Amino acid sequence: MSATHHDHQIISIRDCAALLTVSRGTIYNYIKSGNFPAPVRLGPRRVGFRFSDIRAWLDARSEIAGGAK
C-alpha cells in the first residue's frame, strides 16, 4: 500500500466523530479503554488524530468482523 497525502493528515475530533458516525464522547471512551488510537496534542485544549491511524483502526475492525462469519 502506498502512502497518500491523507496518511499524514491530522483530523479533528469532530471530523473523526463524523467519519465514524459516533459521538465525541464515544471516541473518548474508546481511547480510555485502550481500543482507539491515541490523539495527537495540538495545543493546550486541542487534539487531533492521524488519519493513517484511524484508517488502520478501521481496517483492523473490518478484518475482525469479516473473520467472525
Side-chain angles (χ1 to χ4, degrees):
M1 176 187 318
S2 63
T4 66
H5 72 280
H6 292 294
D7 287 334
H8 303 291
Q9 184 178 17
I10 302 292
I11 62 173
S12 70
I13 183 89
R14 179 171 285 161
D15 290 341
C16 187
L19 177 69
L20 302 176
T21 63
V22 298
S23 71
R24 289 180 287 176
T26 297
I27 291 174
Y28 283 121
N29 286 336
Y30 288 165
I31 294 166
K32 186 176 179 180
S33 67
N35 295 321
F36 199 76
V40 175
R41 181 141 313 271
L42 302 174
R45 294 179 43 139
R46 182 148 184 171
V47 298
F49 297 87
R50 289 180 190 89
F51 183 78
S52 58
D53 291 347
I54 302 305
R55 191 173 76 185
W57 181 82
L58 286 169
D59 289 347
R61 289 180 57 94
S62 66
E63 287 176 11
I64 291 168
K69 291 181 180 177

